[in-house]
């Protein structure tokens, strides 16, 4: 039997060792705790290995998605993960196109969009029925389609990216902002184009100010609009603010009250975003969204200006895979012919 003094010494030694262990752990956990407290969203985003880019592949215009993807992939060293969104009937076509072309090297996921989520939320009396295609509303549902990313880029299919997509991804979003867009008044060189084709670049061009629901918003009709064809989105903030629910609410209001008809400037997908994001979005570098290239078959930008642009957007009726259209050479540089032969370019001599 050990003497009592020895047992007491052993117990004392164990107590000292336990206290030392606790103190050691606390001291070595402090830097980690401080580190966690000081990591902001931007730092977390920079740690992501891949840049998620969402593009839709719609029937009849898949060549647009292919050209956009080709331009992005060719102009960056960054790792890009393409989320290609399609309807059930179109997915096999885009998958075959990618797998049987040089795009088979890209990293991508094909995601099916269920148009049933739009039931009862879209008016059917549009003067431009193409604006009612279900995939036009994919941007409303980004958190449902993209699960694991903090920050996401959404692009319309009628764009060409001439810069490094990493630059666009690095766009800083202010605290509390769920998205960044391009203001329609942001670049003096586009003002002449806007004037020459009679395009609207204010809220007046998108919302019906004769309706009480619009006047009640308290938004001046002369407020500069923005274009949601290029979006940098913070998915966490989007969920927190329930942006999708807000957009759906205004879609349903429009079904009931016709507060933003597609006969106005931007159709039915832009208007609810203008309402929901008014005064609550960050800005994208203007050179990362040079638009209106599809608004007129005659109005052209200078070649030098277009060479400096990071992203070109053929928003409007006159698309670069159709005829007539402008600056089609810049688009065709990135087009990859359809291996199945279903998608063909429309040209004057075709």
């Amino acid at each position: 039997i050990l003497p009592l003094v020895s047992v007491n010494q052993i117990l004392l030694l164990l107590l000292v060792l336990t206290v030392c262990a606790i103190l050691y752990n606390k001291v070595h956990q402090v830097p980690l705790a401080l580190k966690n407290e000081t990591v902001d969203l931007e730092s977390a985003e920079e740690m992501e290995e891949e840049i998620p880019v969402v593009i839709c592949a719609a029937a009849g215009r898949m060549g647009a998605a292919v050209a956009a993807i080709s331009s992005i992939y060719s102009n960056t060293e960054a790792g890009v993960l393409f989320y290609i969104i399609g309807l059930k009937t179109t997915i096999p076509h885009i998958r075959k196109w990618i797998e049987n072309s040089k795009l088979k090297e890209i990293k991508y996921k094909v995601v099916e969009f269920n148009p049933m989520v739009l039931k009862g939320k879209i008016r059917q009396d549009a003067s431009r029925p193409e604006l009612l295609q279900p995939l036009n509303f994919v941007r409303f549902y980004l958190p449902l389609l993209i699960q694991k990313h903090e920050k996401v880029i959404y692009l319309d299919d009628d764009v060409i990216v001439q810069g490094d997509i990493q630059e666009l991804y690095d766009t800083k979003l202010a605290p509390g902002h769920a998205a960044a867009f391009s203001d329609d008044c942001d670049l003096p060189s586009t003002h002449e184009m806007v004037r020459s084709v009679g395009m609207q670049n204010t809220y007046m061009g998108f919302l019906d100010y004769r309706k009480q629901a619009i006047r009640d918003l308290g938004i001046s009709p002369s407020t500069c609009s923005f274009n949601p064809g290029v979006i940098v989105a913070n998915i966490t903030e989007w969920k927190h603010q329930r942006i999708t629910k807000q957009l759906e609410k205004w879609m349903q209001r429009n079904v009931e009250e016709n507060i933003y008809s597609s006969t106005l400037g931007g159709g039915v997908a832009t208007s609810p975003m203008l309402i929901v994001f008014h005064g609550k979005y960050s800005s994208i570098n203007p050179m990362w969204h040079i638009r209106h290239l599809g608004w007129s078959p005659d109005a052209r930008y200078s070649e030098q200006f277009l060479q400096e642009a990071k992203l070109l957007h053929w928003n409007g009726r006159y698309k670069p895979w159709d005829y007539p259209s402008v600056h089609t050479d810049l688009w065709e540089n990135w087009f990859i012919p359809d291996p199945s032969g279903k998608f063909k370019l429309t040209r004057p001599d075709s």
Side-chain angles (χ1 to χ4, degrees):
I1 298 172
L2 287 170
L4 186 60
V5 66
S6 299
V7 173
N8 287 341
Q9 286 175 336
I10 290 168
L11 289 174
L12 183 60
L13 181 62
L14 288 173
L15 181 62
V16 170
L17 288 173
T18 302
V19 170
C20 287
I22 292 169
L23 289 172
Y24 178 86
N25 283 337
K26 281 189 174 294
V27 167
H28 284 267
Q29 281 175 1
V30 167
L32 184 58
L34 287 175
K35 191 175 177 185
N36 287 343
E37 287 169 11
T38 56
V39 168
D40 60 16
L41 287 176
E42 297 300 332
S43 302
E45 287 157 5
E46 287 165 10
M47 290 164 62
E48 288 195 2
E49 293 182 2
E50 298 164 331
I51 297 175
V53 176
V54 178
I55 291 183
C56 296
R61 47 193 290 163
M62 280 190 200
V66 166
I69 291 168
S70 169
S71 70
I72 294 165
Y73 180 67
S74 301
N75 286 310
T76 187
E77 295 294 323
V80 179
L81 173 58
F82 292 98
Y83 283 86
I84 302 169
I85 317 296
L87 302 180
K88 190 173 184 178
T89 53
T90 60
I91 283 174
H93 186 187
I94 192 68
R95 196 185 291 278
K96 184 177 179 183
W97 199 329
I98 290 170
E99 295 299 337
N100 290 280
S101 72
K102 65 180 182 181
L103 289 182
K104 62 177 177 283
E105 298 173 358
I106 70 170
K107 189 170 182 181
Y108 73 101
K109 292 182 180 179
V110 175
V111 180
E112 181 184 340
F113 182 69
N114 184 355
M116 289 304 293
V117 300
L118 301 172
K119 189 173 181 180
K121 300 184 184 77
I122 305 174
R123 290 182 69 90
Q124 295 302 320
D125 57 342
S127 62
R128 291 181 61 189
E130 74 273 14
L131 295 175
L132 296 179
Q133 294 302 316
L135 295 181
N136 270 341
F137 301 92
V138 160
R139 70 197 94 187
F140 290 15
Y141 296 95
L142 292 176
L144 301 181
L145 299 164
I146 312 302
Q147 299 295 333
K148 66 174 186 173
H149 300 282
E150 170 70 28
K151 195 175 189 182
V152 170
I153 294 172
Y154 166 87
L155 299 176
D156 276 355
D157 60 0
D158 51 355
V159 306
I160 288 295
V161 173
Q162 300 186 136
D164 185 344
I165 197 75
Q166 181 76 55
E167 286 181 37
L168 181 59
Y169 185 73
D170 290 341
T171 298
K172 300 293 184 186
L173 273 66
H177 286 177
F181 305 100
S182 291
D183 285 317
D184 284 330
C185 312
D186 61 6
L187 204 61
S189 34
T190 65
H191 294 176
E192 186 179 338
M193 171 77 83
V194 168
R195 282 195 300 272
S196 68
V197 298
M199 185 186 300
Q200 294 286 345
N201 63 356
T202 65
Y203 273 58
M204 175 71 87
F206 296 86
L207 307 178
D208 188 347
Y209 277 83
R210 295 170 300 179
K211 301 293 171 70
Q212 189 63 43
I214 295 302
R215 294 199 300 273
D216 287 346
L217 290 169
I219 302 173
S220 167
S222 62
T223 301
C224 185
S225 52
F226 59 80
N227 186 300
V230 177
I231 307 172
V232 181
N234 179 322
I235 297 299
T236 301
E237 197 63 47
W238 192 293
K239 290 178 185 174
H240 176 68
Q241 296 183 31
R242 297 168 63 86
I243 296 292
T244 297
K245 288 293 183 188
Q246 292 187 58
L247 292 166
E248 287 184 326
K249 182 191 84 170
W250 284 103
M251 291 169 77
Q252 286 166 331
R253 286 285 295 272
N254 186 57
V255 170
E256 296 159 9
E257 303 173 44
N258 195 24
I259 54 180
Y260 54 83
S261 132
S262 63
T263 55
L264 295 170
V268 291
T270 297
S271 300
M273 299 197 88
L274 290 177
I275 295 171
V276 170
F277 284 101
H278 173 253
K280 294 187 293 186
Y281 65 92
S282 298
S283 295
I284 289 172
N285 179 333
M287 296 307 286
W288 268 100
H289 195 177
I290 301 304
R291 47 209 177 277
H292 315 322
L293 277 75
W295 205 261
S296 163
D298 304 309
R300 302 176 67 92
Y301 288 113
S302 76
E303 291 301 324
Q304 181 182 350
F305 176 67
L306 292 178
Q307 292 298 330
E308 294 170 357
K310 305 284 190 177
L311 182 147
L312 306 174
H313 187 187
W314 279 262
N315 58 311
R317 296 173 185 265
Y318 302 97
K319 304 301 186 186
W321 54 90
D322 280 336
Y323 180 83
S325 56
V326 295
H327 304 297
T328 53
D329 55 321
L330 294 173
W331 184 86
E332 279 193 55
N333 282 341
W334 307 107
F335 174 67
I336 299 170
D338 183 359
S340 73
K342 293 177 187 174
F343 181 94
K344 295 183 173 66
L345 301 183
T346 304
R347 294 295 180 254
D349 52 354
S350 63

